[in-house]
Amino acid sequence: MKNLTKSRSEFAELLGRTAQAFGLTPSVGQIYGLLYLSAEPLSLDEIAESLDLSKASASIGTRQLESLHAVQVSSKNADRRDYWEARLEPQEVLQKMMSTVLAPRLANAHDRLEGLLERMEAEKNSGELSNSAFTVCQQRIQQLITKTNQFKTWLPLIERFVK
Amino acid sequence: MKNLTKSRSEFAELLGRTAQAFGLTPSVGQIYGLLYLSAEPLSLDEIAESLDLSKASASIGTRQLESLHAVQVSSKNADRRDYWEARLEPQEVLQKMMSTVLAPRLANAHDRLEGLLERMEAEKNSGELSNSAFTVCQQRIQQLITKTNQFKTWLPLIERFVK
DNA sequence: AGTGGGGTTTAGAAAATTCTGAACGTAGTC
DNA sequence: GACTACGTTCAGAATTTTCTAAACCCCACT
């Protein structure tokens, strides 16, 4: 990483690993880390240069961060470059991620579990699954469905906490 | 996956992907999924056979799940095999993960940020970092530290919610 | 003490993910 | 209407993660 002090690039790497923990790529986290400590907005080339990334990665990364509302783009006039800057409220980024990433996944999981229950009933009827095995499965999956429903209810509450 | 009905192996795969979202390996999730729907405890060989995994993966996976309190091991007498069964309360597994995985990471992140601040001050004094740039960095990292502290406070509260 | 059935370890194979270079599209400028 | 400076796309290279096979250890039984 050129162009950055040791500690600023260390910060970027820290955020890179953090991003991974959230299922994002390291470079996305690094970009956010870079912008988060930057006094002014940076162009794509500056980002790629500072973090020693290809422009391609920088482009993909910034767009993804934008879709997560973690950064915003602007343009200095008389310059056709895009300039990127971090939104400085990590809580809001987190909140957005919860509603745009976590919530849909939860809904998806819920649907899959429902579908699974149906297919298991079919397997019971066709004899592939013994009655007693089915009972166990049904009961446990039902419990899981209930829990995901509960969690869905709590999610907005947790969001407000985090904010 | 031999030995399992279509829907049971689908459930295992679903949990495999879910596990990845939590930073675990797919096989770990699959094993939990298998045990979660199993009426009786299973031996290592049965797990490997059912999920089409090597015994090595099964061994590593079960041990990791044990450390997360997601499964427990027992032995039928007159049989030296280990028999594994799922703990059926996913909430408690989640809670345990929060305290054993999330909390230490938070603490670690906190320490790193503190260290970073110090090193940045040094960089300012040595002239590597301009005064104005330092001010921005300091302020923003400080904000981050404050937030992680807040989050640390909330964590136990959230844990109780999830349970 | 030797044997066999169990679990664990680990070097490296396989798979999955992430990143890059090169080609492309587009809009502003001369 | 060619040129240039920018962002984007995508095939495949590079890296990282995950899994496996084989060697190993340990204990129970003989």
Side-chain angles (χ1 to χ4, degrees), chain A residues 93-116:
Chain A
V93 177
L94 272 182
Q95 192 195 338
K96 207 79 195 179
M97 278 189 56
M98 285 177 103
S99 56
T100 61
V101 179
L102 202 56
R105 281 196 195 172
L106 253 186
N108 184 44
H110 182 275
D111 293 348
R112 287 176 144 282
L113 289 175
E114 295 277 17
L116 226 53

Side-chain angles (χ1 to χ4, degrees), chain B residues 44 55-56 59-60 63 80-82:
Chain B
L44 214 52
K55 225 168 104 179
S59 172
I60 293 168
R63 288 297 165 196
R80 9 198 211 95
R81 262 167 288 203
D82 291 342

Side-chain angles (χ1 to χ4, degrees), chain A residues 31-75:
Chain A
I31 293 170
Y32 185 73
L34 171 67
L35 296 176
Y36 188 81
L37 291 188
S38 176
E40 313 94 27
L42 300 179
S43 72
L44 258 194
D45 281 320
E46 287 169 328
I47 292 169
E49 163 86 0
S50 299
L51 295 174
D52 220 349
L53 286 175
S54 68
K55 228 167 104 180
S57 293
S59 173
I60 293 168
T62 49
R63 289 297 167 195
Q64 189 172 355
L65 284 167
E66 188 186 27
S67 78
L68 290 170
H69 292 249
V71 303
Q72 60 190 10
V73 65
S74 62
S75 57

